[in-house]
Amino acid sequence: MARINENFLKLKAGYLFPEIGRRVTQFAQQNPEAKIIRLGIGDVTEPLPAAAIAAMHAAVDEMGERATFKGYGPEQGYDFLRNAIAKHDYESRGCDVDADEIFVSDGSKCDTGNILDIFGLDNVVAVTDPVYPVYVDTNVMAGRTGTADDAGRFGGLVYIPVTEENNFVPAIPEQHVDLIYLCYPNNPTGTVATQETLQKWVDYAKAEKAVILYDSAYEAYITTPGIPHSIYEIPRAREVAIEFRSFSKTAGFTGTRCAYTVVPKSLKGSTATGEAVDLHRLWNRRHCTKFNGVPYIIQKGAEAVYSNEGKQQVQNLLSFYLENARLLREGLQSVGITVHGGVDAPYVWLKTPNNLSSWDFFDRLLGKAHLVGTPGSGFGASGEGYFRLSAFNSRANINEAVTRFQQAVR
Ligand code: MLT
């Protein structure tokens, strides 16, 4: 019989969001009259920007003509999209990122997991806690951890708590680590990292010869002036960081699928004998071997979000979801709930009332208000006693959710 990768057996039975989905489906079957509002998984609800739709229609027509038909594209992405990303997302912010350092992909979730292919199993990995579960679970699958303790912390990983107690600022580890996942604006807490905080991490990574895996999938939601949108706004970050970005939450591409990863050519890892190796070369090799590129039609849609009208339409989407976040935040605060995030991010991170556990609050909110959120403990042990609400929904549902939430906690 074929042997399995037993590391999978160390994981909790289900990935967080499908597990929530399972519980909600069960509740819905038992309560068919309940009008459930889902603010759990951060999945966009509003239609794609018109500029992206028009570009994709035109691309479909191109695919229908022999003269303009496309087969396999470049695995790393078409130049038109890589150039647009380099110009609009990096050059415009003074970041030194070349188009050929950008790898277009089908998602940041996939890339943050797949990037582990190019790193050795003996690296010491640090994550903030709470954290986007993909970073932890993919390290468990790869065999970089021991088993989990009762609180869900895996042996071998370095957990850096980010809670109210430290104002959600991750402390620099006192020990050596090789790989550090940072996500800002943060999923799940909705908090941001200042220039000063990121500079400390870049300095630490430089001193320890570590690599920062920087997930900035939510950067477009930053409204506070002076908050970095990219790790490459920090001096010397090109020598220590890989950045992950996505069109999912920015332009509504969660179902359309397009993202990108930046691996600077100046970034090195080392062999066991200490020889420096370009990580760009390794990632390119991995990408070309295991991935055949994002469809041309989708890349044309992504390119269109950088047109003048596309930018305006994206801005409208961002403003819409940020207004939802404000309504949630202020609606919860008005009934005495302590709330974080929701200013520079589409997530609101709240303290559960009466010190309820995260899952108890999940059950109470679902049972009493027919509202779905995400239990903070699902993101890590330090998320216990917190709860996440996503601002991705229609305005009517957000208003209704606020009213129901207020009634449920009164
Ligand atoms: C979330 O709800 O945390 C996100 O939707 C997850 C993701 O982007 O994969």
Side-chain angles (χ1 to χ4, degrees), residues 126-131 158-174 177 180-187 189 191-202 204 212-214 231 382:
V127 290
T128 56
D129 177 17
V131 72
V158 175
Y159 288 91
I160 305 168
V162 278
T163 59
E164 281 178 351
E165 283 68 44
N166 59 14
N167 210 14
F168 300 96
V169 178
I172 301 291
E174 281 166 12
V177 307
I180 307 141
Y181 290 87
L182 293 177
C183 171
Y184 288 103
N186 187 253
N187 181 10
T189 65
T191 56
V192 287
T194 62
Q195 176 95 17
E196 192 193 353
T197 297
L198 292 181
Q199 186 68 64
K200 283 187 189 152
W201 277 101
V202 168
Y204 170 83
I212 297 173
L213 301 171
Y214 194 75
I231 190 78
S382 297

Side-chain angles (χ1 to χ4, degrees), residues 15-17 40-43 108-109 132-134 187-188 217-218 248-249 254 257 347 374 379 388 390 392:
Y15 179 58
L16 177 61
F17 295 109
I41 190 165
D43 191 6
S108 287
K109 176 181 180 177
Y132 180 42
V134 170
N187 181 10
Y218 298 92
S248 283
K249 311 299 160 76
T254 54
R257 310 306 307 152
Y347 296 125
T374 309
F379 295 103
R388 193 192 79 174
S390 150
F392 294 115

Side-chain angles (χ1 to χ4, degrees), residues 77-389:
Y78 284 98
D79 283 346
F80 62 77
L81 181 55
R82 298 171 94 194
N83 288 332
I85 293 167
K87 179 169 173 218
H88 295 278
D89 287 347
Y90 291 109
E91 199 185 310
S92 67
R93 293 196 172 275
C95 301
D96 178 14
V97 171
D98 285 340
D100 66 356
E101 296 176 316
I102 295 164
F103 295 84
V104 176
S105 75
D106 60 349
S108 287
K109 176 181 180 177
C110 325
D111 282 354
T112 54
N114 291 334
I115 198 75
L116 293 175
D117 278 6
I118 66 168
F119 292 104
L121 278 186
D122 47 359
N123 283 304
V124 180
V125 177
V127 290
T128 56
D129 177 17
V131 72
Y132 180 42
V134 170
Y135 313 153
V136 171
D137 288 5
T138 52
N139 273 288
V140 175
M141 290 172 182
R144 226 172 251 110
T145 73
T147 51
D149 65 15
D150 290 345
R153 289 194 177 98
F154 286 92
L157 288 186
V158 175
Y159 288 91
I160 305 168
V162 278
T163 59
E164 281 178 351
E165 283 68 44
N166 59 14
N167 210 14
F168 300 96
V169 178
I172 301 291
E174 281 166 12
Q175 67 178 97
H176 167 79
V177 307
D178 301 294
L179 293 176
I180 307 141
Y181 290 87
L182 293 177
C183 171
Y184 288 103
N186 187 253
N187 181 10
T189 65
T191 56
V192 287
T194 62
Q195 176 95 17
E196 192 193 353
T197 297
L198 292 181
Q199 186 68 64
K200 283 187 189 152
W201 277 101
V202 168
D203 293 346
Y204 170 83
K206 189 78 194 139
E208 297 293 323
K209 296 189 167 42
V211 172
I212 297 173
L213 301 171
Y214 194 75
D215 184 348
S216 62
Y218 298 92
E219 61 78 29
Y221 288 88
I222 294 173
T223 53
T224 304
I227 297 295
H229 287 238
S230 164
I231 190 78
Y232 304 119
E233 290 177 49
I234 311 300
R236 305 181 79 188
R238 278 184 56 84
E239 295 155 42
V240 297
I242 291 173
E243 181 161 286
F244 305 91
R245 289 260 187 117
S246 171
F247 293 91
S248 283
K249 311 299 160 76
T250 310
F253 272 49
T254 54
T256 307
R257 310 306 307 152
C258 195
Y260 60 90
T261 290
V262 178
V263 186
K265 290 189 173 156
S266 39
L267 183 61
K268 311 259 186 220
S270 91
T271 63
T273 53
E275 186 199 338
V277 177
D278 286 350
L279 293 180
H280 182 278
R281 177 162 67 83
L282 298 193
W283 182 244
N284 189 50
R285 186 70 172 82
R286 189 264 170 219
H287 202 68
C288 294
T289 303
K290 293 197 181 179
F291 188 64
N292 254 341
V294 171
Y296 174 74
I297 297 163
I298 305 296
Q299 292 193 53
K300 286 307 272 184
E303 181 197 24
V305 307
Y306 295 109
S307 64
N308 287 340
E309 61 279 22
K311 279 185 183 167
Q312 186 53 54
Q313 291 156 4
V314 166
Q315 196 46 56
N316 294 345
L317 283 174
L318 298 170
S319 303
F320 176 81
Y321 292 128
L322 280 172
E323 176 63 6
N324 282 352
R326 185 189 70 77
L327 290 167
L328 281 173
R329 208 177 62 239
E330 294 181 2
L332 270 50
Q333 281 168 338
S334 75
V335 287
I337 302 287
T338 305
V339 177
H340 305 276
V343 175
D344 296 300
Y347 296 125
V348 165
W349 186 244
L350 61 112
K351 201 83 179 120
T352 59
N354 307 318
N355 291 322
L356 282 176
S357 78
S358 300
W359 277 109
D360 284 349
F361 188 63
F362 174 90
D363 289 336
R364 176 162 162 194
L365 210 55
L366 182 58
K368 282 182 81 170
H370 306 164
L371 286 183
V372 181
T374 309
S377 55
F379 295 103
S382 297
E384 181 55 276
Y386 291 89
F387 199 77
R388 193 192 79 174
L389 291 177

